[in-house]
Amino acid sequence: MQKSIKLRSAKKFSTGPRLLALSAALFLAGCGSLAPVPFKAEDIQERAAQDRVQMYADQEPIAAPLTFHEAAARALKYNLDYRLKLMESALSRSLHDVSSHEMLPRLVAGAGYVYRNNDSGGSSIGIIDREESLRPSTSQERERTLANLNFSWNALDFGVSYYRAQQKADQVLMAEERRRKVVQNVLQDVRNSYWRALGAQKLIGRVDSLLARVNTALANAKEVEAKGLMPRAQVLSYQRALLDAVSLLTLRRQDLELARAELKALMSVAPGTTITLADEKEFALPAVPGNIEALERMAMEKRPEIMEEWYRKRVTENDIKAAKAMLWPNISIDLGPQYDSNRFNYNSSWVDAGVRVSWNILRLAQLPALKRAHEHQNKTDDMRRMALSMAVLTQVRVGVQRYGLSLAELKFAEESLRVDQSLFDYAKAASQSRFDSELEVIRSEARALLAEYQRYAAYSNAQAAWGRVYNSVGLDVLPETIDGHDVKTLAAALENTMSQWQGQVFTTVAAKK
């Protein structure tokens, strides 16, 4: 009878491990059978439709012609690249908050249930005579519940978490510098595209009308050539001039259309939406700055790329500091109440406290290598910043030179427009019913229209060059918060800030020439 009970107990004991092994095998087999599952075509179409809606969601409607500052405000408020940088900045702040909490001590609450299928216990034997001194006994129940609340603090964990939190704080500042750079780039692109798009709005109707007249004149010229009403060389010469005009006008028309498309993309305007630009007076362009050294000092102090590299140096330094902190002794403190429902315990609840000191002495061998790495890292970071600073200074000087050249180009384009417009007026006044006079009027009008386009392009290039001077110096032209402003308010703040910079900074710099 006793033997059969032991057999049943042994059989019962062996069933548990078998079930556990079978469950583990089934779980591992299930994990190994996972196969790549691509998205379905319906899912892709739904995602694309939702993305298209989200790209243009929550935008103020365009109810009136847009001024330059309103177009810039809309671009900065709704541009997807800028919104991405805002999200990255918010993410950096959240990660910094998370890392700050990692410096806190640990306070872990635990509870559990423990069961075993037989009794825990034992007997004792004498050390000298090796005789059993106690019969087998137990002081632990088969079923019991446990609870604890443990407070622990680790010096090394605190030190490493402290340096990691500093790194996250610097990464927040780096994300802010990247946001500033995107703002400056978007404003630079808007400055270039807006004035080209405004020129397109003014000229594209006239270009289309003239193209129709040129095509009609080409057809008439072919008819004159076929009938022999004029010398063949003269007719072919006129056709050549008209074809050249068609080619140039077609290319310029493409440029004008692309300018409007670029501006709409910068403002994140939905495709198919018609926008009208305000027929505002062109902004007066300031004189070329003369004190380049003052601009270079401003660029060294304000350029986002230089500031980002400077913060990156602190991040890498904290990496080395965290590695050095791991070399020193570690102190850990543990304290917490404990509970065990075991009825054989004399005290079912008690408080554990302990202090431990540990030191991996062999890690000290890393100290010389870490010092060398720290020194080399600092030199590398400084050299990277110096190389970037040299590029920035070059951009400032090249930007000022380009601005001066663009002003000269604008002056030349205005003079060319004056001459071509006078020739066109003269051709109209002197035109008669003769075919060659009509061709001359068309050719003069095409030349005048191209000159007017060149003048708009030159003004746009001058504005873009002036924007590059802004960009090369690293000036901020926005309030700190953008989402909290509507387009009108943001445009007014943008205009005020730009006027202050231009009036106070660049005028002073130019006066030192």
Side-chain angles (χ1 to χ4, degrees), residues 405-467:
L405 293 174
S406 67
L407 289 181
E409 180 186 356
L410 175 60
K411 185 177 181 180
F412 178 79
E414 290 175 343
E415 186 66 18
S416 296
L417 175 60
R418 184 189 64 80
V419 172
D420 288 331
Q421 188 64 46
S422 298
L423 288 174
F424 174 50
D425 294 338
Y426 177 79
K428 285 196 301 182
S431 64
Q432 300 175 0
S433 59
R434 299 195 337 254
F435 176 72
D436 57 345
S437 298
E438 181 183 358
L439 288 179
E440 184 62 30
V441 170
I442 293 176
R443 188 167 60 176
S444 299
E445 184 178 358
R447 199 162 45 230
L449 190 57
L450 289 172
E452 189 171 356
Y453 168 81
Q454 293 293 347
R455 194 268 167 199
Y456 278 118
Y459 180 79
S460 174
N461 291 336
Q463 280 285 354
W466 179 238

Side-chain angles (χ1 to χ4, degrees), residues 28 47-48 52 80 88 97 119 129 133 143 205 209 213 217 229 289 292 294 303 312 327 379 387 392 394 486:
L28 293 175
R47 187 265 308 158
R52 187 178 179 86
L80 296 179
E88 291 179 354
D97 294 339
D119 291 319
D129 56 11
S133 58
E143 299 182 37
S209 176
R213 291 178 57 198
L229 301 177
I292 306 299
R303 277 293 289 265
R312 182 174 284 109
L327 303 181
K379 290 181 178 180
V392 165
T394 303
D486 57 23

Side-chain angles (χ1 to χ4, degrees), residues 296-309:
E296 290 176 345
R297 285 196 300 270
M298 292 173 61
M300 295 287 287
E301 295 171 1
K302 297 182 179 297
R303 277 293 289 265
E305 301 93 325
I306 296 179
M307 294 301 300
E308 183 180 356
E309 283 298 330

Side-chain angles (χ1 to χ4, degrees), residues 6-17 115 117:
K6 288 183 178 180
L7 288 174
R8 284 197 299 269
S9 177
K11 185 176 181 181
K12 180 180 178 181
F13 180 77
S14 62
T15 302
Y115 167 79
N117 68 329

Side-chain angles (χ1 to χ4, degrees), residues 261-274:
E262 289 173 5
L263 182 61
K264 290 171 65 175
L266 287 170
M267 295 189 297
S268 294
V269 175
T273 304
T274 302

